[in-house]
Amino acid sequence: MDFRHEVKHEINRSDMITIRQRLRAVAYPDAHAVNGVYRIRSLYFDNLNDKALRENLNGLSRREKFRIRYYNGDTSVIHLEKKSKVGGLGRKESASLTIKQAQQIADGDLTWMLHSDAPLVRELYSKMTTQGLQPKTIVDYTREPFVFPAGNVRVTLDYDIRSGMRCTDFLDADCVTVPVTDTIILEVKWDSFLPDIIRDAVSLESRREGAFSKYANCRIYG
């Protein structure tokens, strides 16, 4: 997958209501959403020096992070993902995991990864064994997704962001998570161009483009 444009805005609940109504009028709901939303649970990785966290906090233009993710509590479909950022462009690479494989990675049982058919799994193995990457924390949130065919646009509203603190047992549905912010994140992604109809729909005079990391916010407890 090529790099895509990515823009984030921190908005409030009133902003979200306004933008949601605009998007419902011009865009399409994501086919994977249930009643317009889905719940996302991710397990993020970092090393002992908190490389991914520090790169984000320092605003490095070129950075990457690994996570394991599933949706709506459904562990029958789990993905390992690598998110790469270069300036205002982003790219996501993905590989499927079984529930057993996801648990093995979370538990530090890594030998099988070296022989995986998925290059991304082997890359994570290399970085876990040479750079000390390890599971760091759970990040939970609710997402309202919208899509627009022209420009391959995807607009999301993310809220109810919660942290597992130092818990990494992300396959446990009863794992306790705590809220970390009231901020709502508007994120817009597109390929070569952003149609004016979407640009107008997400435009707010009082809001400016900025950076917001759910992972960084979920690390406030350690």
Side-chain angles (χ1 to χ4, degrees):
M1 177 182 290
D2 293 331
F3 280 87
R4 283 160 52 81
H5 297 272
E6 297 184 359
V7 173
K8 292 182 181 180
H9 301 268
E10 296 182 37
I11 63 175
N12 58 36
R13 193 157 297 276
S14 177
D15 296 331
M16 180 174 72
I17 292 171
T18 298
I19 290 175
R20 177 194 287 145
Q21 293 304 316
R22 292 177 184 170
L23 289 170
R24 285 176 176 174
V26 300
Y28 303 90
D30 188 309
H32 296 98
V34 179
N35 295 321
V37 304
Y38 46 75
R39 291 284 303 174
I40 297 176
R41 167 162 286 190
S42 301
L43 177 65
Y44 279 82
F45 292 75
D46 214 332
N47 66 12
L48 292 174
N49 296 319
D50 289 327
K51 178 177 180 288
L53 177 62
R54 293 179 185 278
E55 287 180 348
N56 185 274
L57 294 176
N58 292 332
L60 264 65
S61 62
R62 185 182 294 268
R63 57 187 186 271
E64 67 179 29
K65 56 179 176 278
F66 285 84
R67 64 195 179 205
I68 300 177
R69 171 171 288 188
Y70 62 95
Y71 298 84
N72 295 324
D74 180 8
T75 55
S76 67
V77 180
I78 304 175
H79 289 102
L80 167 65
E81 298 179 348
K82 175 186 174 182
K83 188 69 181 293
S84 303
K85 293 276 289 184
V86 178
L89 302 176
R91 180 176 65 183
K92 184 173 71 175
E93 302 167 68
S94 180
S96 296
L97 296 174
T98 65
I99 189 170
K100 178 182 178 181
Q101 291 171 337
Q103 188 65 62
Q104 286 177 309
I105 293 174
D107 292 341
D109 180 4
L110 312 181
T111 305
W112 66 273
M113 299 171 67
L114 181 60
H115 308 288
S116 172
D117 293 332
L120 189 60
V121 172
R122 297 197 301 273
E123 181 181 351
L124 178 61
Y125 170 82
S126 174
K127 290 180 177 178
M128 291 182 77
T129 54
T130 63
Q131 298 181 12
L133 275 189
Q134 58 184 282
K136 208 68 171 186
T137 193
I138 294 168
V139 176
D140 283 346
Y141 58 96
T142 298
R143 166 165 285 178
E144 294 187 31
F146 299 86
V147 296
F148 193 79
N152 190 23
V153 178
R154 182 174 179 81
V155 182
T156 55
L157 297 164
D158 296 340
Y159 51 89
D160 189 22
I161 302 168
R162 305 175 65 89
S163 171
M165 298 178 285
R166 297 183 180 179
C167 176
T168 58
D169 193 7
F170 78 120
L171 294 173
D172 179 4
D174 297 322
C175 177
V176 175
T177 59
V178 298
V180 296
T181 180
D182 292 329
T183 298
I184 298 163
I185 307 304
L186 165 67
E187 186 166 11
V188 186
K189 300 179 182 179
W190 69 95
D191 287 346
S192 58
F193 71 99
L194 180 63
D196 289 341
I197 193 170
I198 298 297
R199 190 185 303 275
D200 292 342
V202 301
S203 176
L204 291 167
E205 290 185 4
S206 60
R207 306 297 173 190
R208 296 292 181 267
E209 178 183 344
F212 183 96
S213 167
K214 300 180 190 73
Y215 169 62
N217 275 261
C218 286
R219 287 292 309 280
I220 62 173
Y221 296 110

